[in-house]
Amino acid sequence: MKRNIAIVCGGDSSEYAVSLRSAEGLKSFFDDEKYNTYKVMIRSNDWHVMLDNGKKAQIDRKDFTFIEDGKTVFFDYAYITIHGTPGENGLLQGYFDLINLPYSTSGVLVEALTFNKFVCNQYLRSFGVRVGESVLIRKMDATKVDEKAIEEAVGIPCFVKPVAGGSSFGVTKVKERDHLAPAIRTALLENSDVMVEGFIKGIEVTQGIYKTQDKTVVFPATEVVTHNEFFDFDAKYNGQVEEITPARISEDTAARLSKVTEAIYDILNANGIIRVDYIISKEDGEDKINMIEVNTTPGMTTTSFIPQQVRAAGLQMKDVLTDIVENQFC
């Protein structure tokens, strides 16, 4: 019998629309001969399934079931593609743990850790992963920020970003010290904590990876070239970027990058597909790999990085997704 897969999308962040696009991509990627897929949309207290006939069926949150044609439908697995809360910060994972439903992401602790960019970077730094200098600013302290001290700590230019969130919402590249305060206010609209991170000049790359009980698959890295100030929302979703897979880096650097990506996956004890963003800088003629952030629910539209990298690796998305799902049932 086919397994019933819930493609869980939506969420309560600014990335709601991005999540719906990822759900559409995933639905097209899954192997229809092996799985029945349903889009489950979550927003605040509204949890429902979008049926093929265009109607909605409400999810019973006691056991994550729904009624179709008078029969109760149970899910075997949840593929979480919510970018932001509650799918990328451990909340939804805790719910699925309580009802014993397998899911595609890492567990509660890993999701909570990686959702906070500042905490995640400091944690990985302690294992020897190279990250940029950064400063944490909490909302209660935002009105008494010492801009000179921030400049001394991380330098100018720098990036001001919410510690939790994605798709570059609330992110500003700051080129002058007196622009720090308005950038911090912008970031606070997305999250109560703000991270000011030093600018690292270099090549921006991103790399996906997943593991099963019997294999490790590190995808070819993608080089991100944008003519905007940085890889912002327009660059990501409105075509203002060039994405080159595999990245134009040396074989040695590519090999070292793959080792770092695999090490991060193991340090976190991750599950499913994750994607790690980097800046490759030059120091004394040598490529240095600087981690920027970890994405545990990467975008899954047909043009997103992971599908690009899967194609570049000579693989098919339906086989990758089958690997990830079936690994939970071994």
Side-chain angles (χ1 to χ4, degrees):
M1 293 181 64
K2 293 183 181 181
R3 298 193 197 278
N4 290 332
I5 307 293
I7 301 173
V8 188
C9 59
D12 301 313
S13 77
S14 298
E15 295 184 273
Y16 178 84
V18 179
S19 173
L20 300 190
R21 290 164 64 177
S22 286
E24 286 293 333
L26 282 164
K27 192 160 177 58
S28 71
F29 294 143
F30 267 104
D31 189 340
D32 290 337
E33 294 185 1
K34 295 181 178 179
Y35 306 110
N36 299 314
T37 56
Y38 299 84
K39 282 193 298 181
V40 178
M41 301 178 68
I42 290 177
R43 192 163 203 179
S44 189
N45 291 321
D46 180 15
W47 295 27
H48 64 266
V49 179
M50 290 299 299
L51 301 176
D52 290 339
N53 60 12
K55 294 183 178 181
K56 298 179 182 179
Q58 292 300 310
I59 289 285
D60 185 338
R61 282 187 279 174
K62 294 195 302 294
D63 53 9
F64 205 64
T65 61
F66 69 98
I67 304 296
E68 183 177 23
D69 297 330
K71 297 180 180 179
T72 301
V73 179
F74 291 84
F75 286 111
D76 300 296
Y77 186 89
Y79 198 105
I80 301 171
T81 190
I82 291 176
H83 312 306
T85 189
E88 202 171 9
N89 58 358
L91 296 181
L92 197 55
Q93 288 78 5
Y95 163 75
F96 286 139
D97 285 342
L98 285 171
I99 64 171
N100 295 312
L101 183 67
Y103 50 84
S104 59
T105 68
S106 306
V108 174
L109 176 61
V110 175
E111 293 298 316
L113 172 69
T114 55
F115 193 59
N116 187 306
K117 296 179 178 69
F118 183 82
V119 172
C120 182
N121 284 16
Q122 302 312 309
Y123 177 73
L124 291 173
R125 185 202 291 268
S126 72
F127 286 89
V129 177
R130 183 182 171 106
V131 299
E133 295 299 325
S134 59
V135 172
L136 178 67
I137 300 170
R138 301 194 186 280
K139 188 173 186 177
M140 66 181 69
D141 302 319
T143 57
K144 48 190 177 185
V145 166
D146 186 335
E147 296 174 343
K148 183 178 179 181
I150 291 176
E151 182 178 10
E152 290 174 352
V154 304
I156 297 287
C158 62
F159 286 98
V160 178
K161 58 180 73 173
V163 298
S167 294
S168 297
F169 286 111
V171 178
T172 305
K173 184 178 181 181
V174 174
K175 296 181 177 180
E176 298 177 28
R177 186 200 300 174
D178 60 359
H179 291 172
L180 277 168
I184 290 169
R185 289 196 294 271
T186 297
L188 285 171
L189 295 174
E190 294 291 326
N191 193 259
S192 59
D193 290 343
V194 172
M195 175 179 177
V196 184
E197 188 174 43
F199 171 75
I200 301 172
K201 183 179 180 180
I203 300 169
E204 184 168 355
V205 299
T206 186
Q207 184 167 50
I209 178 176
Y210 75 94
K211 289 192 172 190
T212 65
Q213 293 187 31
D214 56 6
K215 67 180 175 182
T216 297
V217 180
V218 183
F219 301 128
T222 299
E223 180 181 348
V224 182
V225 182
T226 177
H227 300 295
N228 297 1
E229 280 292 342
F230 62 98
F231 191 41
D232 60 10
F233 184 89
D234 281 334
K236 289 177 178 176
Y237 302 111
N238 294 326
Q240 299 175 14
V241 68
E242 186 179 1
E243 299 167 0
I244 303 164
T245 309
R248 297 172 297 184
I249 54 179
S250 70
E251 290 185 10
D252 173 69
T253 300
R256 289 192 293 119
L257 184 71
S258 293
K259 287 183 179 179
V260 173
T261 300
E262 185 175 354
I264 289 170
Y265 196 100
D266 290 342
I267 291 166
L268 295 173
N269 191 28
N271 179 57
I273 298 175
I274 71 168
R275 202 191 76 229
V276 188
D277 300 339
Y278 303 93
I279 297 291
I280 299 178
S281 59
K282 280 281 187 185
E283 293 186 20
D284 300 323
E286 182 180 349
D287 286 343
K288 298 292 184 179
I289 298 169
N290 308 274
M291 193 212 75
I292 303 301
E293 65 180 83
V294 177
N295 301 277
T296 58
T297 59
M300 285 292 178
T301 70
T302 54
T303 58
S304 293
F305 289 125
I306 294 300
Q308 288 183 49
Q309 294 175 8
V310 168
R311 290 192 295 269
L315 303 173
Q316 293 190 47
M317 278 298 303
K318 71 173 185 177
D319 296 328
V320 170
L321 293 176
T322 297
D323 274 351
I324 290 166
V325 172
E326 296 306 318
N327 188 58
Q328 302 290 110
F329 298 97
C330 294

